Amino acid sequence: MYRVKTEQFEGPLSLLLELIEKRKLDITRLSLAKVADDFLIFIERKENINLANLTDFLMVAAQLILIKSKALLPFFNITTEEEGELDNLEDRLAEYRQFKQAALQLEKMLNQELAAFCQPRSEERRVGKECR
């Protein structure tokens, strides 16, 4: 798993995004170019890069770029079309986060080795039979 290592922060990329979103870390003091360069070095050294890790990095990097752009250019005027595109990106990133959380919950459930139960077919429900 890729870990960010800068003067201001060391840890997983998702934690970096969380700290920035909660305003516990100032994104204007973070070099996103260095984070990206370090990630490229990381993937060059690995032989089997997981597609999910690449996707995670791209989604988090896009969110960080958006946050930093807004922080550095607060009075920058954008067209309504550009604003819609930004909102669309934010919506997609929020949806991605929800899917990521759901995947983690499903993984926990699979690791717990819980028994699965089925719903009886309609004719079995009428006579009170259990499903097989």
Side-chain angles (χ1 to χ4, degrees):
M1 171 174 250
Y2 175 66
R3 294 178 58 84
V4 177
K5 196 173 199 178
T6 67
E7 291 177 16
Q8 297 82 13
F9 175 81
E10 183 174 342
L13 193 60
S14 57
L15 178 59
L16 174 66
L17 177 60
E18 185 179 325
L19 291 173
I20 289 170
E21 286 178 331
K22 291 180 178 178
R23 301 186 190 278
K24 293 183 178 180
L25 185 65
D26 183 9
I27 193 163
T28 60
R29 309 188 97 217
L30 180 70
S31 170
L32 296 181
K34 180 177 179 351
V35 172
D37 288 343
D38 290 349
F39 184 74
L40 290 174
I41 291 168
F42 170 78
I43 62 174
E44 285 175 358
R45 291 182 182 163
K46 291 277 210 176
E47 289 183 16
N48 52 351
I49 295 296
N50 185 337
L51 185 58
N53 289 340
L54 290 172
T55 305
D56 287 346
F57 178 81
L58 290 175
M59 294 301 290
V60 172
Q63 183 70 22
L64 290 172
I65 290 169
L66 181 62
I67 293 169
K68 189 164 186 173
S69 297
K70 286 181 176 180
L72 293 174
L73 305 167
F75 301 109
F76 184 70
N77 293 325
I78 58 174
T79 66
T80 53
E81 182 180 327
E82 291 170 330
E83 189 173 320
E85 290 174 6
L86 286 176
D87 290 341
N88 188 10
L89 174 62
E90 288 175 337
D91 292 343
R92 286 183 293 176
L93 290 168
E95 186 177 356
Y96 170 76
R97 249 187 252 116
Q98 289 175 340
F99 275 102
K100 183 86 172 162
Q101 289 172 351
L104 291 172
Q105 289 174 348
L106 287 172
E107 183 179 27
K108 281 182 188 177
M109 290 170 58
L110 287 172
N111 290 336
Q112 290 176 354
E113 299 178 15
L114 298 174
F117 301 94
C118 66
Q119 181 176 354
R121 289 183 233 142
S122 60
E123 66 270 5
E124 291 173 336
R125 268 186 263 149
R126 281 190 289 244
V127 292
K129 292 184 181 177
E130 294 181 16
C131 57
R132 297 173 204 166

